[in-house]
């Protein structure tokens, strides 16, 4: 039995950001669960910046706290649930000012190898769970189609690049068509 895991109490998850065991790979077997038993664990994984839409986003906090629910299924196998909330820090894709969206993840995996009904998780190898890889992939899947500083960000003026959030009345006068100018001259004569 891994005593370090026993010290992690789910009720304290919210305050564990800096204290949760840094666990990029989690040993499911060390929980010593028998069939039908489950545990909830407050853990943390190393983060790495995400490249998305041609921009780079830092993932905060680092290390990233995660909540892992582990259930040992009857027969052999694991039912797993991963929850986390990450702040992304990088440019708004419309106006390029800093954006800080919160991405929430609630992901599930089942791993039941052999026994006819095969259901293998790509993150489980024997009793070893690739918690870091799973958290990262789940985060990418939960990304919005566009990272913005706020949902109604007005973006940049396509003509001169001015930030339209700061200058809502910004507009360009259209150059009058030179042929109309000529016509007006003719009428005046
Ligand atoms: Zn913006
Ligand atoms: Zn402009």
């Amino acid at each position: 039995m891994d005593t370090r895991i026993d010290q992690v109490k789910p009720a304290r998850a919210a305050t564990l950001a800096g204290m949760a065991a840094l666990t990029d790979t989690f040993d499911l077997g060390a929980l010593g669960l028998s069939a039908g038993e489950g545990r909830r664990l407050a853990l943390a994984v190393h983060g790495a910046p995400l490249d998305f839409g041609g921009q780079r986003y830092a993932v905060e906090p680092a290390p990233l706290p995660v909540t892992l629910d582990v259930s040992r299924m009857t027969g052999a196998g694991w039912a797993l649930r991963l929850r986390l909330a990450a702040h992304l820090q990088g440019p708004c894709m419309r106006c390029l000012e800093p954006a800080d969206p919160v991405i929430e993840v609630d992901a599930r995996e089942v791993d039941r190898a052999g026994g006819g009904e095969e259901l293998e998780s790509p993150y489980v190898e024997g009793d070893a769970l690739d918690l870091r890889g799973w958290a990262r992939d789940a985060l990418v899947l939960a990304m919005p189609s566009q990272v913005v500083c706020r949902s109604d960000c007005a973006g940049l003026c396509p003509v001169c690049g001015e930030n339209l959030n700061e200058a809502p009345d910004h507009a360009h006068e259209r150059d009058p068509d030179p042929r109309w100018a000529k016509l007006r001259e003719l009428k005046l004569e």
Side-chain angles (χ1 to χ4, degrees), residues 23-41:
T23 314
D24 288 342
T25 304
F26 184 79
D27 184 358
L28 296 165
L31 290 173
L33 297 177
S34 44
E37 274 191 326
R39 286 284 282 281
R40 175 166 298 168
L41 301 138

Side-chain angles (χ1 to χ4, degrees), residues 92-99 147-150 153-155 163 165:
C92 168
M93 288 180 182
R94 290 185 205 156
C95 74
L96 305 178
E97 292 296 314
V147 175
V148 289
C149 61
R150 58 182 214 224
C153 171
N163 187 335
N165 297 316

Side-chain angles (χ1 to χ4, degrees), residues 77-102:
W78 306 100
L80 307 166
R81 183 183 187 187
L82 175 69
R83 280 170 289 177
L84 64 90
H87 282 266
L88 296 187
Q89 285 175 342
C92 168
M93 288 180 182
R94 290 185 205 156
C95 74
L96 305 178
E97 292 296 314
D100 180 25
V102 176

